[in-house]
PDB file of all heavy atoms in Angstrom:
ATOM      1  N   PRO E  59     -22.011  14.822 114.980  1.00  0.00           N
ATOM      2  CA  PRO E  59     -21.911  16.284 114.989  1.00  0.00           C
ATOM      3  C   PRO E  59     -23.222  16.904 115.446  1.00  0.00           C
ATOM      4  O   PRO E  59     -24.299  16.367 115.192  1.00  0.00           O
ATOM      5  CB  PRO E  59     -21.609  16.623 113.528  1.00  0.00           C
ATOM      6  CG  PRO E  59     -22.123  15.459 112.746  1.00  0.00           C
ATOM      7  CD  PRO E  59     -21.918  14.254 113.630  1.00  0.00           C
ATOM      8  N   GLU E  60     -23.126  18.020 116.118  1.00  0.00           N
ATOM      9  CA  GLU E  60     -24.317  18.744 116.535  1.00  0.00           C
ATOM     10  C   GLU E  60     -25.058  19.247 115.305  1.00  0.00           C
ATOM     11  O   GLU E  60     -24.433  19.691 114.341  1.00  0.00           O
ATOM     12  CB  GLU E  60     -23.939  19.926 117.420  1.00  0.00           C
ATOM     13  CG  GLU E  60     -23.464  19.541 118.816  1.00  0.00           C
ATOM     14  CD  GLU E  60     -24.607  18.994 119.663  1.00  0.00           C
ATOM     15  OE1 GLU E  60     -25.735  19.506 119.533  1.00  0.00           O
ATOM     16  OE2 GLU E  60     -24.356  18.056 120.438  1.00  0.00           O
ATOM     17  N   PRO E  61     -26.390  19.178 115.311  1.00  0.00           N
ATOM     18  CA  PRO E  61     -27.125  19.713 114.159  1.00  0.00           C
ATOM     19  C   PRO E  61     -26.922  21.215 114.043  1.00  0.00           C
ATOM     20  O   PRO E  61     -26.785  21.917 115.047  1.00  0.00           O
ATOM     21  CB  PRO E  61     -28.581  19.364 114.478  1.00  0.00           C
ATOM     22  CG  PRO E  61     -28.628  19.194 115.960  1.00  0.00           C
ATOM     23  CD  PRO E  61     -27.295  18.633 116.357  1.00  0.00           C
ATOM     24  N   VAL E  62     -26.888  21.690 112.814  1.00  0.00           N
ATOM     25  CA  VAL E  62     -26.773  23.124 112.556  1.00  0.00           C
ATOM     26  C   VAL E  62     -28.144  23.753 112.790  1.00  0.00           C
ATOM     27  O   VAL E  62     -29.112  23.442 112.088  1.00  0.00           O
ATOM     28  CB  VAL E  62     -26.297  23.388 111.114  1.00  0.00           C
ATOM     29  CG1 VAL E  62     -26.300  24.892 110.832  1.00  0.00           C
ATOM     30  CG2 VAL E  62     -24.919  22.797 110.889  1.00  0.00           C
ATOM     31  N   THR E  63     -28.227  24.608 113.785  1.00  0.00           N
ATOM     32  CA  THR E  63     -29.506  25.224 114.156  1.00  0.00           C
ATOM     33  C   THR E  63     -29.431  26.726 113.961  1.00  0.00           C
ATOM     34  O   THR E  63     -28.479  27.369 114.407  1.00  0.00           O
ATOM     35  CB  THR E  63     -29.860  24.918 115.617  1.00  0.00           C
ATOM     36  OG1 THR E  63     -29.944  23.495 115.794  1.00  0.00           O
ATOM     37  CG2 THR E  63     -31.199  25.534 115.992  1.00  0.00           C
ATOM     38  N   LEU E  64     -30.432  27.264 113.290  1.00  0.00           N
ATOM     39  CA  LEU E  64     -30.541  28.706 113.116  1.00  0.00           C
ATOM     40  C   LEU E  64     -31.737  29.193 113.907  1.00  0.00           C
ATOM     41  O   LEU E  64     -32.851  28.667 113.761  1.00  0.00           O
ATOM     42  CB  LEU E  64     -30.692  29.051 111.628  1.00  0.00           C
ATOM     43  CG  LEU E  64     -30.845  30.540 111.285  1.00  0.00           C
ATOM     44  CD1 LEU E  64     -30.044  30.876 110.027  1.00  0.00           C
ATOM     45  CD2 LEU E  64     -32.302  30.918 111.075  1.00  0.00           C
ATOM     46  N   HIS E  65     -31.510  30.174 114.772  1.00  0.00           N
ATOM     47  CA  HIS E  65     -32.575  30.728 115.608  1.00  0.00           C
ATOM     48  C   HIS E  65     -33.062  32.057 115.028  1.00  0.00           C
ATOM     49  O   HIS E  65     -32.260  32.960 114.776  1.00  0.00           O
ATOM     50  CB  HIS E  65     -32.079  30.950 117.040  1.00  0.00           C
ATOM     51  CG  HIS E  65     -31.748  29.690 117.765  1.00  0.00           C
ATOM     52  ND1 HIS E  65     -30.512  29.071 117.667  1.00  0.00           N
ATOM     53  CD2 HIS E  65     -32.490  28.904 118.597  1.00  0.00           C
ATOM     54  CE1 HIS E  65     -30.505  27.980 118.416  1.00  0.00           C
ATOM     55  NE2 HIS E  65     -31.695  27.855 118.990  1.00  0.00           N
ATOM     56  N   VAL E  66     -34.362  32.159 114.809  1.00  0.00           N
ATOM     57  CA  VAL E  66     -34.970  33.353 114.238  1.00  0.00           C
ATOM     58  C   VAL E  66     -35.744  34.082 115.330  1.00  0.00           C
ATOM     59  O   VAL E  66     -36.568  33.478 116.029  1.00  0.00           O
ATOM     60  CB  VAL E  66     -35.937  32.998 113.091  1.00  0.00           C
ATOM     61  CG1 VAL E  66     -36.577  34.265 112.518  1.00  0.00           C
ATOM     62  CG2 VAL E  66     -35.208  32.236 111.986  1.00  0.00           C
ATOM     63  N   GLY E  67     -35.489  35.363 115.467  1.00  0.00           N
ATOM     64  CA  GLY E  67     -36.236  36.181 116.415  1.00  0.00           C
ATOM     65  C   GLY E  67     -37.360  36.930 115.727  1.00  0.00           C
ATOM     66  O   GLY E  67     -37.183  37.484 114.638  1.00  0.00           O
ATOM     67  N   THR E  68     -38.525  36.945 116.351  1.00  0.00           N
ATOM     68  CA  THR E  68     -39.681  37.653 115.819  1.00  0.00           C
ATOM     69  C   THR E  68     -40.559  38.086 116.982  1.00  0.00           C
ATOM     70  O   THR E  68     -40.452  37.544 118.084  1.00  0.00           O
ATOM     71  CB  THR E  68     -40.478  36.744 114.848  1.00  0.00           C
ATOM     72  OG1 THR E  68     -41.584  37.468 114.302  1.00  0.00           O
ATOM     73  CG2 THR E  68     -41.012  35.518 115.570  1.00  0.00           C
TER      74      THR E  68
END
Side-chain angles (χ1 to χ4, degrees):
E60 288 290 323
V62 175
T63 301
L64 179 140
H65 294 86
V66 179
T68 182

